[in-house]
């Protein structure tokens, strides 16, 4: 079964059809998804800026982590749930774009780096806090923010995949195959 | 029913024409708009939760708002600019769209709420900077959250209730059956 066949099958399941046919469901899911983008991105930005020494210098990094990480994890879970439902509602449109595939790849890297960072913060708490972060930690903070920016942009690019990627877009490729 | 002359002028302007004509303008403007709107919500959430006394109670209100509002204003400027570009592309369509009108009304209400807070309640902030906020400040924080959620939901509703942004090119082949 190809990815396209799977997507077509998924789109025809009663659950997918139910999401598609109630007109208020998709806009509600998308609104929640966007609200959580704001919560998650600002949380990541605040943690990164604290690591870089730009905000909340009256608090330690573990304190800043404790303040924002519940928003980060809750936001990620809600984004994942609404995202999965949105994909189920139109899997062909999602799977057949390069933007969606790249977004999932970067998402995996982004979540992994967040978990690794959480672990290093816990390590720092046990070690009794830290004064100055090594260069690689500060570079990682900037890279994480840029990574999530790319995830957000790719999410929006799904709707414009053929325009953004041209011949690299699977939808365009599939179209070219049939002619 | 015809839209007012200035709406037609905006749509006929060079900027409107450029937005409609450039293939890449739409995805970029769209992505930046979503990112900025989400950041307005994410950053104002931090201030509002402090005003409501939910989080950051140990930190001064002035400090929390000073830390966050540069981000809120930068994001708002970005959202307004990209929103204006979007509007210029299809001014007459937006003008007659009910969700668009309610969104503008909601942004106006957010502005009034902010001004009343800034020039009223905020003047006495020295008295409650480090303690629990007075009822007027909690009300402003709660209203701000509710209004910005409405702005984001209405923004999404516009996308489902207006016409197409651009005519779909006829030579675009999305037939997957042969692939």
């Amino acid at each position: 079964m190809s990815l396209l066949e799977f997507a077509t099958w998924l789109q025809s399941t009663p659950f997918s059809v139910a999401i598609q046919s109630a007109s208020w469901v998709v806009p509600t899911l998308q609104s929640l998804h966007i609200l959580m983008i704001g919560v998650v991105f600002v949380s990541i930005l605040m943690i990164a800026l604290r690591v870089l020494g730009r905000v909340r210098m009256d608090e330690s990094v573990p304190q800043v982590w404790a303040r924002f990480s519940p928003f980060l994890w809750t936001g990620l879970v809600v984004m994942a749930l609404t995202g999965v439902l949105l994909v189920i509602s139109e899997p062909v449109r999602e799977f057949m774009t390069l933007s969606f595939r790249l977004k999932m790849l970067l998402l995996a890297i982004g979540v992994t780096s967040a978990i690794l960072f959480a672990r290093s913060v816990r390590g720092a708490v046990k070690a009794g806090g830290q004064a100055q972060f090594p260069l690689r930690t500060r570079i990682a903070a900037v890279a994480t923010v840029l990574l999530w920016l790319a995830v957000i942009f790719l999410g929006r690019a799904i709707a414009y995949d053929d325009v953004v990627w041209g011949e690299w877009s699977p939808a365009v490729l599939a179209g070219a195959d049939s002619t | 029913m015809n839209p007012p002359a200035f709406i037609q002028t905006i749509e006929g302007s060079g900027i409107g024409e450029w937005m409609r004509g450039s293939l890449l303008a739409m995805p970029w403007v769209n992505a930046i708009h979503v990112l900025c709107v989400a950041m307005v919500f994410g950053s104002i959430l931090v201030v509002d939760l402090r005003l409501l006394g939910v989080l950051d109670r140990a930190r001064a209100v002035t400090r929390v708002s000073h830390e966050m509002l540069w981000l809120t204003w930068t994001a708002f400027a970005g959202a307004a600019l990209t929103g204006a570009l979007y509007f210029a592309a299809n001014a007459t369509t937006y003008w007659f769209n009910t969700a668009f009108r309610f969104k503008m009304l909601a942004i106006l209400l957010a502005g009034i709420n902010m001004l009343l807070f800034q020039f009223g309640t905020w003047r006495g902030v020295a008295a409650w900077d480090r303690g629990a906020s007075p009822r007027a400040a909690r009300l402003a924080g709660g209203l701000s959250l509710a209004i910005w959620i409405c702005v984001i939901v209405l923004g999404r509703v516009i996308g489902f209730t207006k016409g197409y942004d651009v005519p779909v090119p006829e030579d675009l082949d999305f037939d997957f059956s042969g692939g």
Side-chain angles (χ1 to χ4, degrees):
Chain A
M1 189 189 255
S2 73
L3 185 61
L4 178 58
E5 284 167 336
F6 170 72
T8 312
W9 167 78
L10 186 59
Q11 199 151 310
S12 69
T13 56
F15 187 55
S16 175
V17 173
I19 299 175
Q20 295 161 37
S21 51
S23 61
W24 58 272
V25 177
V26 169
T28 306
L29 291 172
Q30 289 179 342
S31 299
L32 269 171
H33 204 73
I34 294 171
L35 285 166
M36 292 306 125
I37 288 172
V39 171
V40 168
F41 185 69
V42 169
S43 301
I44 288 168
L45 193 60
M46 286 300 123
I47 294 163
L49 287 175
R50 176 58 187 85
V51 169
L52 296 172
R54 311 297 296 192
V55 298
R56 290 186 176 248
M57 293 305 283
D58 56 323
E59 293 181 318
S60 67
V61 167
Q63 274 176 319
V64 175
W65 177 263
R67 161 66 180 77
F68 286 102
S69 62
F71 286 82
L72 181 59
W73 300 130
T74 310
L76 281 175
V77 167
V78 175
M79 275 206 287
L81 284 175
T82 51
V84 164
L85 290 173
L86 285 167
V87 168
I88 292 174
S89 78
E90 40 184 14
V92 174
R93 177 177 171 268
E94 305 275 349
F95 290 157
M96 297 314 283
T97 62
L98 182 59
S99 306
F100 177 79
R101 295 175 188 180
L102 283 177
K103 178 179 173 172
M104 291 305 110
L105 179 69
L106 294 190
L107 203 55
I109 301 172
V111 172
T112 311
S113 75
I115 292 168
L116 290 178
F117 186 75
R119 206 175 278 178
S120 81
V121 167
R122 276 197 290 272
V125 177
K126 271 182 202 151
Q130 63 294 303
Q132 168 84 32
F133 286 93
L135 184 64
R136 62 184 163 82
T137 311
R138 282 178 283 153
I139 291 173
V142 175
T144 306
V145 171
L146 294 178
L147 184 75
W148 284 96
L149 271 180
V151 169
I152 295 168
F153 272 71
L154 285 169
R156 205 62 280 252
I158 293 168
Y160 303 94
D161 205 62
D162 55 317
V163 174
V164 174
W165 300 107
E167 286 178 14
W168 290 358
S169 169
V172 174
L173 280 176
D177 281 350
S178 64
T179 50
Chain B
M1 198 165 52
N2 281 323
F6 79 97
I7 297 295
Q8 286 170 324
T9 309
I10 292 171
E11 187 164 317
S13 68
I15 293 174
E17 214 163 287
W18 175 72
M19 279 296 295
R20 285 189 300 276
S22 161
L23 276 177
L24 278 176
M26 281 290 179
W28 278 101
V29 168
N30 201 327
I32 296 170
H33 191 68
V34 172
L35 173 69
C36 286
V37 172
M39 277 169 74
V40 168
F41 175 74
S43 58
I44 207 99
L45 175 70
V46 176
V47 180
D48 290 340
L49 288 177
R50 174 60 185 89
L51 287 175
L52 288 166
V54 177
L55 282 169
D56 292 323
R57 280 181 297 247
R59 307 182 79 232
V61 174
T62 46
R63 183 161 194 165
V64 173
S65 61
H66 178 75
E67 257 171 12
M68 299 313 293
L69 290 184
W70 63 272
L71 189 60
T72 311
W73 280 114
T74 309
F76 183 79
L81 184 72
T82 49
L85 287 173
Y86 234 73
F87 182 78
N90 293 284
T92 51
T93 313
Y94 286 110
W95 178 259
F96 288 119
N97 183 275
T98 310
F100 175 80
R101 291 183 172 193
F102 275 112
K103 180 176 174 179
M104 292 305 114
L105 180 68
I107 293 171
L108 184 70
L109 288 176
I112 293 170
N113 180 48
M114 185 199 69
L115 287 174
L116 286 177
F117 178 68
Q118 188 71 38
F119 293 106
T121 322
W122 189 251
R123 287 184 166 194
V125 68
W128 46 272
D129 203 8
R130 289 209 160 265
S133 312
R135 183 176 293 177
R138 295 201 301 272
L139 183 68
L143 276 176
S144 157
L145 274 188
I147 293 169
W148 283 110
I149 290 172
C150 286
V151 169
I152 288 178
V153 172
L154 286 166
R156 224 31 326 250
V157 173
I158 295 170
F160 286 86
T161 52
K162 70 172 175 57
Y164 285 110
D165 287 319
V166 284
V168 181
E170 276 173 23
D171 58 344
L172 210 62
D173 191 355
F174 275 109
D175 178 19
F176 300 113
S177 57

